[in-house]
Amino acid sequence: MWFLPESERVKFKEPFGVLFSDISAALKYLGDSPVYAVGDVVTGNLWRAGIVPKLSVIDGNTMREPCMSTPLLPVRRFEVKNPAGFITEELVYALRNALENPPALVHVIGEEDLAVIPLVRMLPEGSAVLYGQPCKGVVVRIVDSEAKKRADELFSLFVKV
């Protein structure tokens, strides 16, 4: 597994994409991109807007409190453990398996926030990853060569343990 040292976490505070105040504004930006969601609120908002993400990654919480707005999703499910501040091999494996036959949901026991990094690294260009930016809105990252390069840079800050 890989651990993100406290000293590097500040680099993850800025949006890793374009920040929108709400889901409707984000959806206008997406175009026809295949959609992938990280976070309970974003996933719930997409479903309520009639959009089924190819992959949703949730942990049952929002801002470290139980999230009651995530719908029961009728898709294939994977459950993995992933502690806060880590990216586990189990999470990466579940993401890969889920991507083989969408739509799917990865339910993380622990924290899902950092799943954006391996997800951007493994998705095809043209995909859209949406995730929540606490108290600010939703971030959309269209996967392209620059996104993959930045995801690689961010992943290089992790320490293998």
Side-chain angles (χ1 to χ4, degrees):
M1 77 175 82
W2 299 269
F3 173 71
L4 182 61
E6 291 287 336
S7 61
E8 302 293 354
R9 293 184 186 192
V10 68
K11 295 174 181 151
F12 289 75
K13 298 294 182 196
E14 292 300 314
F16 179 39
V18 181
L19 176 63
F20 295 92
S21 60
D22 59 46
I23 198 74
S24 60
L27 293 177
K28 291 176 186 168
Y29 178 76
L30 292 179
D32 294 331
S33 298
V35 175
Y36 301 83
V38 176
D40 293 72
V41 173
V42 169
T43 297
N45 287 338
L46 286 168
W47 275 82
R48 282 184 285 285
I51 296 171
V52 178
K54 288 186 167 283
L55 173 63
S56 298
V57 185
I58 64 169
D59 65 4
N61 293 299
T62 185
M63 298 193 308
R64 307 238 195 298
E65 295 293 325
C67 181
M68 302 305 179
S69 66
T70 305
L72 294 173
L73 308 175
V75 297
R76 284 183 329 118
R77 298 177 67 90
F78 297 83
E79 188 168 284
V80 298
K81 292 180 182 169
N82 192 81
F86 286 84
I87 295 174
T88 62
E89 288 92 346
E90 186 180 6
L91 174 62
V92 172
Y93 181 76
L95 293 173
R96 280 196 185 111
N97 281 337
L99 290 170
E100 288 177 6
N101 190 16
L105 177 129
V106 174
H107 180 230
V108 176
I109 307 303
E111 191 172 278
E112 95 287 70
D113 297 2
L114 295 173
V116 171
I117 303 304
L119 196 54
V120 168
R121 294 177 82 205
M122 60 181 74
L123 287 175
E125 290 192 17
S127 301
V129 178
L130 284 73
Y131 70 91
Q133 187 79 11
C135 301
K136 294 187 179 172
V138 60
V139 176
V140 177
R141 183 64 197 221
I142 304 297
V143 178
D144 57 14
S145 61
E146 182 59 35
K148 287 182 174 289
K149 179 181 174 194
R150 183 68 182 136
D152 288 344
E153 290 168 358
L154 290 169
F155 187 71
S156 75
L157 301 174
F158 285 77
V159 176
K160 180 88 167 143
V161 292

